[in-house]
Amino acid sequence: MTMTAVLLSWAAAAVCAGLSRLLAAHYWIGAALFTAGLALAIWIRRYGPAATRAGTLTTLPIVALLIVPGPTLPADARPRR
């Protein structure tokens, strides 16, 4: 793993940690940024091998937000029953 990949993974994980807190505090803004971040990470892959590696490394922490348990949704973001 190159130094660039290590720094990119660290930066993406730090951004995703902030995104996780934003999802807990302001669900709809966090969800919009989650969608935009994932779309950007996938879209950037079309610009050569280096961009493909960067997009792939960035996608991992974003998708991990879906898997790792976080705080429960705020009351206004929960589905109505």
Side-chain angles (χ1 to χ4, degrees), residues 26-57:
H26 304 286
Y27 180 74
W28 295 109
I29 296 170
L33 288 176
F34 173 87
T35 304
L38 189 57
L40 179 66
I42 293 170
W43 177 74
I44 200 169
R45 294 180 189 180
R46 68 176 63 203
Y47 295 106
T52 300
R53 285 191 299 274
T56 303
L57 285 171

Side-chain angles (χ1 to χ4, degrees), residues 7-74:
L7 292 175
L8 181 63
S9 296
W10 178 84
V15 168
C16 286
L19 183 58
S20 173
R21 291 186 178 264
L22 185 62
L23 277 166
H26 304 286
Y27 180 74
W28 295 109
I29 296 170
L33 288 176
F34 173 87
T35 304
L38 189 57
L40 179 66
I42 293 170
W43 177 74
I44 200 169
R45 294 180 189 180
R46 68 176 63 203
Y47 295 106
T52 300
R53 285 191 299 274
T56 303
L57 285 171
T58 306
T59 302
L60 180 64
I62 296 172
V63 172
L65 283 174
L66 298 174
I67 299 167
V68 175
T72 59
L73 292 175

Side-chain angles (χ1 to χ4, degrees), residues 1-8 53 57:
M1 193 176 232
T2 64
M3 184 58 124
T4 305
V6 170
L7 292 175
L8 181 63
R53 285 191 299 274
L57 285 171

